Amino acid sequence: MWLLRERAHPILTDDGGAILNEHTGRWTQLTPTAAAAVMLLLSCPTEEQAANRFAQRYGISTKQATTDIRTIAETLTAQGLATPSDAPSRRQGWRWWR
């Protein structure tokens, strides 16, 4: 499963979308297909299932859909907006009040 980070706030529609990184104050703009990929990543338990649904929705090959879904997931993860759910949480470390 894929998750948005704690301070990432999405605005997703079928017409596109954006994700606000509250930490930096920057918006990441999404095309309609990228917004659809993010919605599928958030709603499906695996990237494989998201890719299959993406392929059905856009009438493309499963291989191309897998590449597209993986690209979106890796890009948003690299920007610090998302994480695979099996990745360690950054919230497990020391807090400032300790």
Side-chain angles (χ1 to χ4, degrees):
M1 182 167 226
W2 188 79
L3 303 169
L4 289 175
R5 293 230 183 233
E6 184 177 323
R7 292 186 173 186
H9 304 283
I11 299 172
L12 304 171
T13 69
D14 288 335
D15 296 324
I19 301 174
L20 172 64
N21 182 339
E22 188 180 291
H23 181 70
T24 64
R26 293 185 183 183
W27 287 91
T28 298
Q29 301 295 322
L30 302 171
T31 64
T33 52
V38 170
M39 285 190 263
L40 289 171
L41 282 164
L42 292 172
S43 65
C44 293
T46 66
E47 278 188 27
E48 182 180 338
Q49 288 178 348
N52 288 335
R53 289 180 59 194
F54 194 76
Q56 290 173 350
R57 179 175 182 161
Y58 290 103
I60 59 176
S61 70
T62 303
K63 182 178 179 181
Q64 181 61 52
T66 300
T67 300
D68 294 348
I69 290 288
R70 187 169 293 133
T71 299
I72 295 291
E74 289 174 354
T75 300
L76 294 179
T77 300
Q79 292 178 0
L81 296 172
T83 182
S85 64
D86 58 347
S89 173
R90 290 176 45 184
R91 296 168 34 173
Q92 293 175 348
W94 288 92
R95 301 241 191 240
W96 64 269
W97 60 83
R98 285 188 182 173

